[in-house]
Amino acid sequence: MDLDRVLKLFEDPFSGNLTERQLRVLKKLTKHYCSGILLKELPQIVKLLDICATKIEDHKDFIEPMCDIIKICGLPFLKEKMSDEATYGNIVAESLSQLGCLMRVPSSQVRIQICNSVANFYSPESTKKQPEGFQPTSVMYKIQMAEVGGLAETLVLSLTVVENHLQEKLALLKVLQLLSSTPENCKRMARAQAACRICSRLSDPDPSGQLLFRSSEILWNLLENGPKEEIINQLSNIECIYGLKDSFIRLLTKGYRHHDRQLRNDLLVIATLIAENSRPPMVESGFAKQLILFATFTEVKSNNPLVKSLKLLHNHEDFEMKKLLFNVLVVLSKDLSTVQLLCDGKVVLALFNYVKANEKPGVHDWPAARFEELQLHAIATLSTVAPLLVEDYMTCQGNTRILLFLEWCSSQDGFSGQGNSFHGTGGRGNKHAQMRYSLRLLRSMVSVGDEAVNQDLCDQGAISQLLGLLKHTMARADGSDGTVQLEMQCDILFILSSVCESDLHKKELFGTEGVDVLLQLLKMDPSMLHSGLGHNKLLFCTLDCIWSCIVGCFPLEDYFLEQKGMFIILDLLALNLKSLTNLVLGILVEFCDNPKTISHITTWRGKNNESAPKLLVLLWKQEEEELGVKRDHYGRIIGFENLPGLSVLDYVTLSIISRYLDFKVGEVWSEIRAELNVENIRPVTSDHEALDVIEKHTENVSKDVAAHQTEMIENHQQMELQEEQQKYAEIKENHKQSEIVLKSWDNFLARTSNYEALKRAKRLQEKSIESSRPKARPQNVTMHSTQIPRLNTTVACGPVVTVESTPSKFTGGALADTDLALKRVPIRGGALQKTRSVKMFY
C-alpha cells in the first residue's frame, strides 16, 4: 500500500472530487491493515482520517470506512525492529493526540468508535494472524504514548461537544475513567478543568445510571491520583455543589439497589472532602442544611418531606452513611456560618440520644456492635459541636447526662465493648472507650470557660465523681491499654483544674482526698517520663492541678505540706528537666505565700545533700549560661560598660537604652494620668501622691540621664581640645627643629667661606675643650695631646694613627719602578723588613 499515492488522491485538487474511487481506496486500505498499522505509517493514516473528517459533512458515505480505520487504530501497532517503539515514540504520541481531536467530527458513530478504540488500549483484541516479519507493540506502549501525547486532556475538552448526546457522552466517560488511573493523565485532565466539567453535570438525566456512576469514579480517581488541592478548588463552585446535592438526594430518597447506596456514600465522601479542604458554598446551596437534616432525622422527628418516608436499614451501606453524616457535622462545624443551622437542626439533642447505657442487643435500632460504634462516633462529634452550642448543651442537661453515663462506665454490670473501629481503641472487653470519649467531651466543654457550665458541673457533684474515676483509672493503669488510661487521667485532671480554678469553695470540695491523689501521681518513677506513653503529659496535668486546686486554699496547702508535698516538688525541681522547671518554680513561688512553706524549703536536702538555695543558685547559673550572659573572672556581669567599638555618641544613646525600662514605666504611668484627666476622674489622695512620686522619680531619672549625657559630651570635647593642643605643640616642635637645622647649616657655610668666622669658631671650640678638661693632673701619668696642631677645621676629630714611611732603601726612592723593586726583593735577602715602631696620638 503506497500511502503517499493515497494521500495524493485525497489532496490533489484534480482528484479531490473522485468520491467513489476514494471510498474504494479506503476499503482496500482497511483490508490491508486489518492486522494492525505500522508505527512509521501511523502519521499518514491519521492525516488521512483528518482529511476524511472534512468530507463527512457533505458525504456521509465516508463515515463507515472512517470508523473501520479508527477501529484498526485500537489494535496493537506493528513494529519491524525492537527499537521502533523508541524511534517512533514522538510521532505516535502526536498521532494519538490527533486521533482524540477527531471528536470534533459531527458524527455520533465516529465519536463512539474513537472512544471504543481508545478503550481498547487497555484490553486490546488479539488478531488471528500476525503478518510475517512484524511484531505487535507491548500492551502498555499505546497507554504510555497516549499519556505522553496528552490524549486525556484532549478528550476532556471534547466533553463540550457531547454534552447533549447521552450515548456519546457515556462512551467518552468510560474512556476518561480508564485514562484517570494514572497520575500523569489526572494532572493533564485537571489542567482541562475535568473535575468541574464532570461534577457540574452529575444531575443530567440518564435512565441507565451509568452517567453518575462513571462520573463519580472519575472524580474519585482525580482526587486520588491527581493534584488534590487543585481538584477540590475546581469542585468548590456553586454548580458542582448543586450537582452533588441533587445527585445525593436522588440516590438517598429514590435509590433502592445495592450499588445506588454505594454510589450515594461515594458522593457523600466527595462532598465531605470538598467541605473539609476549602470554603465551598455549602450553606448558600442549601446542601449543608439538608446534610444536617439527614444526619439527625432518625433521632429528631422532622416534618420535612425529604425524610418523611425515609428509613435507614440495618445494612452495611446505611451504617456507613450514618457514620459519614456524623463526620460531615464535624466538618461543617469548622465554618461558623453553619452554627445556626446546627442549632436549628437540634444536632446536640440528636447526638445526646446515643449518650446512654448500652442495653441488651435488640433494644436499640441498631445491632449492639454497630450501636456501640455509632455511640462512640456521636460522643466524639459532640466534643467538636457542643462547645459551639453551649445553650443547646445546657438545655439538654448535658452535664447531667455525661455524669450519669460516666457512672455507668465505672459500674460493674457485665457489659463488654467490642472495641471496633478507630474510636473503639482500647475498649474491647470493657467500657474504657465510652469513658474516654465522655471525658474528652467534658474537657471540651470546660475549655470554653463558660461559668454556667462549670458551676453546673460542680453542683452535680462532678468533683467527687471525677476523683473517684481518677483513682479507678490509676488502679488499672498497668494493663495493656495503659496509654488510654493515661489519657483519661490527663483529661480528668484538666477538668478538675478548669472547674476549681479561681474558686475557693470548689477547692474546698476538692479536699484532702484530691491532695492525696495528686501526691500519689507526683511520686511516679522519673524514668517513665521518657517512655513515650504519656507520663510526661500526666505530670504536667498534675502540676497544673496542684496550682489550680490547692494553691490559694490554706487548709489544703497545709495538708499538702504535712504530707511532705513540698519535698516532692523540690525533688522534681532537682531533676533539672527544662520543660518542668518553669511550672515547678511557679508552684514554689505561690506556696511561699504560706508562712509554713519556708521551713520545708530550708529543711529539704537533695541526693548529694544539696540545699534548696544552692539548687536555686545552680538553676540561675544554668539559665544565664543558656541566655549567653557574660561574666568577668570574678563572676560579675559587664552590662552596659566597656562595650567595644562604640563612639561617644553611641555611649550617649546607650545611656538611654540602659534606663529604657524606667522610661517605659514612667510613660505608662503618664498615659494613665492622661486618661484619668480625659475621663475627668480624680484619684484619691494616696493614689494622687503615688502618681506624683512616680512622676517625680521619672523626671529625676531623666535629669540624671541628661546630666550624664552632658558630662560625657563635655569630657569628649575637652579630650578633643587637648588632642588638638598636643598636635599643635608637635607641629611647633617640628618647625623649631627645622629652624635649628637651617641655622646650623648657615653657620657651617659661614665657616667655610669666611676665615674670620672660622677662627672665631675655632677659638670657641678650643675654649670649650679646655674648659671641659680636669684642672688637677695625676702624677706619673703621661698625657697625650688629642688635638692636631695647625688644623684649620672646627669639626670633631677622631683617632689619628701616624705610620712612618718605608725607608727608600727598600723602595729605591719615590720614583722607583715598583714592579722592578718587587722583583729585587728575593735577591736582597727575602721578605720586607718590619717597621720599627708605630705611635698613636689621641
Side-chain angles (χ1 to χ4, degrees), residues 143 236 346 395 558:
I143 298 175
S236 298
K346 299 180 181 180
T395 303
D558 293 344

Side-chain angles (χ1 to χ4, degrees), residues 95-104 114 151 154-155 158:
S95 299
L96 292 180
S97 179
Q98 292 298 320
L99 182 65
C101 293
L102 293 177
M103 290 292 293
R104 72 183 187 278
I114 293 173
L151 178 61
T154 304
L155 293 178
S158 303

Side-chain angles (χ1 to χ4, degrees), residues 336-522:
L336 295 181
S337 61
T338 62
V339 172
Q340 188 58 46
L341 295 178
L342 295 171
C343 180
D344 296 341
K346 299 180 181 180
V347 171
V348 174
L349 178 61
L351 293 174
F352 264 117
N353 187 64
Y354 294 89
V355 186
K356 56 186 177 182
N358 295 24
E359 300 175 1
K360 296 180 180 180
V363 176
H364 300 295
D365 294 336
W366 297 94
R370 288 185 174 176
F371 177 81
E372 180 188 1
E373 192 170 341
L374 289 176
Q375 179 185 61
L376 296 174
H377 204 152
I379 300 174
T381 304
L382 273 173
S383 300
T384 304
V385 176
L388 303 173
L389 304 169
V390 177
E391 293 184 4
D392 292 358
Y393 176 84
M394 296 300 292
T395 303
C396 295
Q397 297 181 341
N399 287 335
T400 303
R401 293 191 181 205
I402 297 174
L403 292 176
L404 288 174
F405 189 65
L406 284 173
E407 185 176 352
W408 171 79
C409 291
S410 59
S411 65
Q412 303 291 334
D413 62 352
F415 171 81
S416 296
Q418 300 297 320
N420 297 330
S421 78
F422 166 79
H423 298 290
T425 303
R428 186 169 185 81
N430 52 53
K431 307 173 187 176
H432 290 170
Q434 286 81 359
M435 184 185 297
R436 176 190 186 187
Y437 279 94
S438 299
L439 290 172
R440 189 177 293 182
L441 172 56
L442 272 185
R443 174 175 181 153
S444 299
M445 293 310 302
V446 299
S447 298
V448 176
D450 189 278
E451 185 58 31
V453 175
N454 294 348
Q455 186 60 47
D456 183 63
L457 268 177
C458 183
D459 295 341
Q460 298 293 332
I463 296 177
S464 176
Q465 184 176 348
L466 290 173
L467 286 175
L469 282 177
L470 183 57
K471 290 189 288 186
H472 173 75
T473 57
M474 290 169 60
R476 300 175 57 90
D478 297 331
S480 59
D481 55 346
T483 305
V484 175
Q485 300 290 340
L486 288 173
E487 181 184 340
M488 290 192 290
Q489 293 171 25
C490 292
D491 288 342
I492 293 172
L493 292 172
F494 181 87
I495 297 168
L496 290 172
S497 300
S498 301
V499 171
C500 297
E501 188 177 11
S502 304
D503 193 311
L504 184 59
H505 174 65
K506 295 174 183 176
K507 293 181 180 182
E508 292 174 351
L509 292 177
F510 186 78
T512 57
E513 179 186 6
V515 176
D516 291 335
V517 175
L518 295 182
L519 288 172
Q520 186 177 350
L521 290 173
L522 284 177

